[in-house]
Amino acid sequence: MNRRDVIKNVALMLGGAFSAPTLMAMNHWESPTKSYPSVATFNLTQTQRNIVAEIAELILPKTTAPNDASPGAKDVGVPAFIEMMMKDCYLQPEQMSFIEGLEKMEQVKFLELNDNERKGILKYLEQETKAEMKARQMKQTKMGDNDDHEDIKKVAKGLPFWRLIKELTLLGYFTSEEGIKASFEYVQIPGKVENIKLKPNQKSYAY
Amino acid sequence: MYLNIKATKNNTFDAIVVGSGMTGGFAAKELTEKGLNVLMIERGREIKHPQDYDTAMKQPWEVKHRGKVTAHSAEELWANKRFGNLANDESGPFFTNDKDNPYIEKRPFDWIRAYHTGGKSMHWGRQSYRFNKEDFEANAKEGIGIDWPIRYDDLAPWYTYVEKFVGVSGQKEGLDVLPDGHFLPAMPLFAPEVHFKKMMLEKFNRPVTVGRVANLSQPQEWHTKLGRASCQYRNKCVRGCPYGAYYSSLSGAIPAANLTKRLSMLHDTIVAEILYDEQKQRATGVRVINQITNQVEEYFAKIIFLNAGAMNTAALMLNSKSNRFQNGLGNDSDQVGRNIMDHHLGVGATATVEGFLDDYVYGQRPNALYIPRFRNWGNDKQSYLRGFGYQGGASREGWSRGVNADGFGGDFKQSLTKPGQWTIGFGGFGEVLPNPENRMYLDPTRKDQWGVPMIVFDAAFGENEIAMRKDIMNSAMEMMDAAGFKNIAGYNRPEVHLGLGIHEMGTARMGRDAKTSVLNAFNQVHSVKNVFVTDGAAMTSSSCVNPSITYMALTARAADYAVKALKKREL
Ligand SMILES: Cc1cc2nc3c(=O)[nH]c(=O)nc-3n(C[C@H](O)[C@H](O)[C@H](O)COP(=O)(O)OP(=O)(O)OC[C@H]3O[C@@H](n4cnc5c(N)ncnc54)[C@H](O)[C@@H]3O)c2cc1C
Ligand code: SF4
């Protein structure tokens, strides 16, 4: 899929809600980005922090419906968690790809877009990432064949930005105290293991 | 340290046990219970059971990196990291810092170590299966390596003895390929697994059972006496169990040995050499180095049990040179350090399961399903030798399914609070053949920070293993397909090396002939009768089942023999 196809798909998905500013923003998508920082200096600017927070909150927003009131990513400290994790647990390829993703967001002026437009961008990102992950996976399966040992060293490109921020948002949220308790039935010491029947609307157990 | 005052006076004991892990702990228990004063020497730090399991009760949000390995930790524990998440915040502090304890890879070898009280018994997956009759006979029948000097029946009573003490939950199946043991009540199979089991019997006549696992599903009085309680099904065993519900040297053997008041223990003490008396033609003791102070000391005993873990035991023998043994203690055959075996893993398949959507599970089963070996068994014949077993299981997807799925926003968040579909996955543990060219040895010049020669690994999978791996993946996919599962994906990780199975063994094998083996039928060094090797080094072949219960059975049997021989003044 090329970029035009992805945009077309996303526009279809959103029911035509792909606004002119979003489309315009898309034109800056592939403009060259700034030089990459080195690992030692993985540091976000305030603008980038705001973008991380807004994206995290769009992924897991605060909800207030009576049957589903739960905190959002921002409420439980996910943005700071993401930055800490990117710094502590990832190496240069991922850190670079994360920064590169944020720079793209800056270029499309993400923070100036309205809610719908932001969602459009994320949908686009999602589709683009999906194609990229699929390509990576195919490469991996191929390498899994044992005949292709040499290839493994070539996978130097970090995981895509969307994959990183989504995983870390989910991880940070669903393992936070408020996130766990609002989302699941948290059982610290089950005391037994048994097969049960699921009750309607039953939440997952978390341990 | 709990040094026995009387004995320390002259640093002399009845027995010295090197290493406090799975097998060292068991040796110390047996020897002390049979009346000997034992000094157990452990190179790593002391861990007190259960108070030092400081991450065990942490809630998810109290663990900073939430299960992920930090870049720093990945660098310090570079070998551990190859296994996966062992180097994370919860368990990393209990594994050995590879940067401080480096080894040399002539060919890559994944060496996972845990230098502390209890060794790797603190972290094991607790899967416990007996070798079968064929496992002890195949080498002789097929002309591979050398023959075992013992048969299944020699070890059977000792399996029972160990299983009782340890406490193994499992299901009797009456299979020749996977002999039954002394079991505590079995854990349940989950709904799709029950379906799978039925389909495998129907379509392939292949049995499937629930894992046999050393977790107390129902503690017996001898377990309770040691302070061990029933499993609480949290499945956080790798952090250490506050209830002593899974077996480890820390929760079982060491407390039992302590009850005799005949156990003395040293920590932070590296055994660097076994002392050999040329006149008496026996080992007299050990030379040790304190890992903190570097102080050197000697300890003496009538018998010595080597239980440092297969690779370290072989290294210790190779480093114990004398006029009589210029290539290392007991190494007349030049087999010490050779024939490294392991179980190869990192190969299997995953799939999604349709249906069973009203089936769910309460609690976390610290266990898996087990598919016993079916290759080269009965009428089956393959182009390669031996076989493999699978371990794995079914579970319902949790929130993490959201990572790769489309979607974000309020509904997405809400949907992730419910269980997702069932998925299933299992991977093979394949038998590795003994090959004298797969070896470790001591580097002639390079030394570690205590002046002990560094270990060099020079080993790799052979053709038999590589052929078997392909079959492990393909057969897994075939079975999943036959069970009606969907989205079947096979994997055969190319970056897996020998060692990653963490069942490294074979470096001082048992045998009938001193010319081709290091140990006799009672794990006694052929040429140094008062030295016994009862860790994985002793293994003559590897079977495909997890080996620790076999190591322990060999240990108990050898200890029994040693004490009887001592009493008859044969040692
Ligand atoms: C994550 C994981 C999962 C596993 N799962 C299973 C499983 O499901 N089933 C199974 O059967 N096995 C399993 N194993 C393997 C099992 O842990 C080992 O087989 C077993 O612990 C080996 O016992 P050992 O006594 O030989 O060595 P260890 O238990 O490693 O003990 C050796 C001890 O000797 C000490 N030592 C080493 N060198 C010296 C020296 N020179 N001087 C003094 N002390 C020394 C070490 O510090 C250590 O404490 C698993 C291992 C791991 C890490
Ligand atoms: S699952 Fe059982 S054995 Fe494992 S840590 Fe929990 S209580 Fe202990």
Side-chain angles (χ1 to χ4, degrees), chain A residues 13 58-63 67-72 81 84-85 87-91 118-120 122-123 126-127 130 133 141 143-147 149 152 162-163 166-168 170-178 180-198 201-207, chain B residues 56-73 75 187-192 194 230-234 236 243 357-366 396-414 416-420 422 466 469-470 473 490-495:
Chain A
M13 257 177 347
L58 278 167
I59 295 172
L60 298 177
K62 181 186 179 84
T63 41
N67 63 339
D68 175 33
S70 53
F81 174 79
M84 181 275 290
M85 290 294 283
K87 211 182 221 153
D88 287 3
C89 296
Y90 292 87
L91 298 178
R118 287 177 182 186
K119 285 181 188 161
L122 295 193
K123 289 266 182 201
E126 183 169 67
Q127 293 311 307
K130 213 153 100 179
M133 289 303 291
T141 332
M143 288 187 320
D145 259 347
N146 250 359
D147 304 320
H149 280 214
I152 190 147
W162 173 250
R163 174 66 173 58
K166 193 169 178 194
E167 174 175 1
L168 290 176
L170 266 53
L171 178 65
Y173 183 85
F174 288 118
T175 58
S176 70
E177 182 167 10
E178 304 91 318
I180 284 192
K181 290 181 175 167
S183 313
F184 310 117
E185 196 172 324
Y186 178 61
V187 189
Q188 204 192 355
I189 300 167
K192 60 181 175 186
V193 61
E194 61 184 16
N195 286 293
I196 57 168
K197 288 291 169 191
L198 204 58
N201 266 323
Q202 184 175 338
K203 291 180 165 178
S204 299
Y205 292 112
Y207 303 95
Chain B
M57 295 306 274
K58 286 215 160 122
Q59 322 221 41
W61 54 88
E62 292 169 333
V63 180
K64 188 175 178 195
H65 300 97
R66 312 279 166 91
K68 288 213 190 269
V69 180
T70 63
H72 175 72
S73 187
E75 210 180 302
M187 293 177 193
L189 285 177
F190 303 148
V194 173
S230 185
C231 182
Q232 301 299 310
Y233 300 96
R234 308 163 63 233
K236 299 195 161 116
Y243 313 96
L357 290 177
D358 58 349
D359 289 299
Y360 196 37
V361 173
Y362 175 84
Q364 301 214 88
R365 185 183 62 186
R396 287 196 79 155
E397 289 181 325
W399 60 260
S400 62
R401 69 184 183 274
V403 173
N404 287 313
D406 273 5
F408 53 86
D411 291 346
F412 173 73
K413 185 179 80 173
Q414 165 81 352
L416 293 181
T417 65
K418 311 270 160 53
W422 284 94
I466 289 168
R469 288 183 81 81
K470 292 204 167 130
M473 181 174 96
Y491 60 91
N492 181 3
R493 288 168 50 195
E495 77 282 14

Side-chain angles (χ1 to χ4, degrees), chain A residues 1 15 18 43 46 82-83 86 101 150 156 166 188 192-193:
Chain A
M1 246 188 318
F18 226 28
N43 251 323
Q46 195 50 48
I82 294 175
E83 189 173 344
M86 282 311 306
E150 291 312 307
K166 193 169 178 194
Q188 204 192 355
K192 60 181 175 186
V193 61

